[in-house]
Amino acid sequence: VEWYRHVAHDITRAETPEKLVNDGYLWSKMNLEWLTQDSQGMGTCAVAGHQDFVSYFGGDTFHSIGGILASGLHQTAKDSLRMIGAITMEQGGKAPHEFSSTGKVHDPGSVGETQGFITSVWKTHLWTGDEEFFKEMYPICRKGMLEYVASEPTMDGVLMAECEDRPGG
């Protein structure tokens, strides 16, 4: 209960003349906290849903990072990216689309999700100013860009992994 009071009242408060806007911000922040899960052996990360559908999604997390950061849940953002980063490293720099709380990858991801991961790491660094976090994540981002993305076949400068009608695809 104390943690939720802390999230609600001590972490990034928005006060506007509109009660509805203030309430919406509070409930959005609480929802982000409720969607944060600890998995034994994996760490902490935002999940796609509770309780019937607990799975981690790279893309969903990357799209949510701005809101997570604006809500003041900086540690949640960093923890989520660390967990995704560990799997990204295991996959040679390719950020996962979906994985379970045991670390089993259900969908390995794409060039777009790898870019989303890298952008989210940068946004988190800008919001938090955490140089240690950035130094920790940089080798993963570098591997993603220079090994995975650079290895994808191209046609006229277009990344083939993003084209549905690519030859052989």
Side-chain angles (χ1 to χ4, degrees):
V1 173
E2 285 303 312
W3 174 249
Y4 292 116
R5 282 193 185 111
H6 172 69
V7 170
H9 302 294
D10 300 333
I11 298 176
T12 313
R13 294 184 68 176
E15 296 293 328
T16 72
E18 298 294 329
K19 182 181 179 339
L20 189 59
V21 171
N22 298 339
D23 289 348
Y25 181 77
L26 171 65
W27 285 110
S28 294
K29 184 167 55 167
M30 296 308 291
N31 184 55
L32 288 167
E33 176 56 30
W34 291 326
L35 288 173
T36 301
Q37 174 177 294
D38 291 320
S39 295
Q40 188 175 15
M42 289 289 297
T44 302
C45 189
V47 297
H50 279 300
Q51 292 174 311
D52 296 328
F53 189 71
V54 179
S55 198
Y56 298 111
F57 286 89
D60 291 17
T61 302
F62 309 143
H63 290 298
S64 300
I65 284 292
I68 293 170
L69 291 166
S71 295
L73 299 170
H74 298 172
Q75 194 60 49
T76 298
K78 292 187 284 187
D79 288 345
S80 296
L81 292 170
R82 283 183 175 109
M83 183 187 288
I84 294 168
I87 292 174
T88 299
M89 248 344 221
E90 290 173 7
Q91 295 194 134
K94 186 179 196 178
H97 172 72
E98 180 183 3
F99 58 100
S100 71
S101 59
T102 63
K104 180 176 177 1
V105 176
H106 299 290
D107 183 331
S110 67
V111 167
E113 282 166 319
T114 300
Q115 171 275 325
F117 171 75
I118 293 166
T119 301
S120 293
V121 167
W122 180 244
K123 284 180 186 176
T124 301
H125 170 64
L126 291 177
W127 269 86
T128 65
D130 188 334
E131 291 293 327
E132 290 304 311
F133 169 77
F134 186 70
K135 287 176 185 174
E136 175 187 345
M137 301 308 286
Y138 181 78
I140 303 167
C141 295
R142 189 175 194 284
K143 185 173 202 63
M145 283 303 295
L146 298 181
E147 292 182 31
Y148 167 60
V149 173
S151 72
E152 287 294 297
T154 62
M155 179 177 73
D156 297 331
V158 177
L159 290 171
M160 297 301 284
E162 300 301 304
C163 300
E164 290 181 21
D165 60 348
R166 67 180 185 250

